Amino acid sequence: MTDQSTIGAQGEDQRITAFWQAARGHLGLGKLDAVMGEQPKDVVPPPSWSFGDNPALADQLLALVLDGRKTGTSTALAELEDEGLALPVVGDLSIVLDGTGEPRALLRTTEVEVVPFDQVGDEHARAEGEDDLSLASWRTEHEKYWRRVLGDDRFTPDLAVVTERFELVYPTSGPTPPVD
């Protein structure tokens, strides 16, 4: 469940750029790489987004990521299509924002699969780290979410769902340090 909106305000862009500069070292990209800029992804911050559709949910799910409990997420394919966004790809980087728009985590996508809602499995439900980690709970909560976000008429048991696994690249442990 992600809102893949990018940040547009100049102050927020500066915070994301500063966060990206702090996180780049965890990818093996040093300051010289920024000057040389062999590839645009080396110097341009990756897309930024927050989990869920409200600040409280964004903070709740981000906390699970930072605690190491959440290593997966899912997005209705229709959400991506509605926003004109491409499917995530293994190796993609993204900056996750908290409920106030502060950059807090750098993630790297490790696995992507598109499956019908009613075929998402136990393993993925556990990877999402939410509620009691059960598939039943995952289905109940995600159905509520997608009915709210997409509308009741667009939710069906065979709704295409993009399941994604990721690794937390930065911060590697503990609370995220403030970005100047």
Side-chain angles (χ1 to χ4, degrees):
M1 297 188 302
T2 58
D3 171 12
Q4 301 274 337
S5 59
T6 56
I7 300 301
Q10 185 176 6
E12 292 172 342
D13 283 347
Q14 290 173 348
R15 291 185 305 207
I16 289 169
T17 299
F19 180 88
W20 174 233
Q21 291 303 319
R24 288 166 34 83
H26 293 269
L27 296 167
L29 302 173
K31 291 185 186 237
L32 183 58
D33 296 320
V35 173
M36 302 303 289
E38 292 183 24
Q39 298 180 20
K41 70 177 185 177
D42 294 341
V43 292
V44 176
S48 57
W49 50 272
S50 60
F51 288 104
D53 63 340
N54 64 68
L57 187 55
D59 288 342
Q60 175 189 3
L61 298 178
L62 174 62
L64 295 174
V65 170
L66 295 174
D67 288 345
R69 180 173 163 163
K70 182 173 182 63
T71 59
T73 192
S74 53
T75 307
L77 181 58
E79 289 179 274
L80 296 177
E81 292 171 344
D82 289 353
E83 296 292 322
L85 298 170
L87 282 172
V89 175
V90 171
D92 279 355
L93 297 172
S94 57
I95 296 173
V96 180
L97 309 173
D98 67 16
T100 66
E102 286 292 324
R104 297 286 310 278
L106 178 65
L107 304 181
R108 181 182 359 237
T109 300
T110 59
E111 184 179 315
V112 177
E113 186 176 8
V114 180
V115 297
F117 174 82
D118 60 3
Q119 291 182 27
V120 171
D122 290 316
E123 184 179 330
H124 186 77
R126 279 190 303 279
E128 288 215 23
E130 301 168 32
D131 304 312
D132 67 1
L133 307 180
S134 72
L135 180 57
S137 174
W138 182 92
R139 286 190 175 147
T140 298
E141 294 306 312
H142 283 72
E143 180 176 344
K144 286 181 200 174
Y145 176 82
W146 284 318
R147 284 186 183 279
R148 183 173 71 240
V149 171
L150 298 173
D152 286 333
D153 59 324
R154 292 179 70 192
F155 179 83
T156 62
D158 63 348
L159 176 75
V161 175
V162 180
T163 61
E164 183 177 355
R165 298 291 301 267
F166 56 79
E167 64 181 340
L168 176 63
V169 176
Y170 180 79
T172 54
S173 64
T176 307
V179 177
D180 295 325

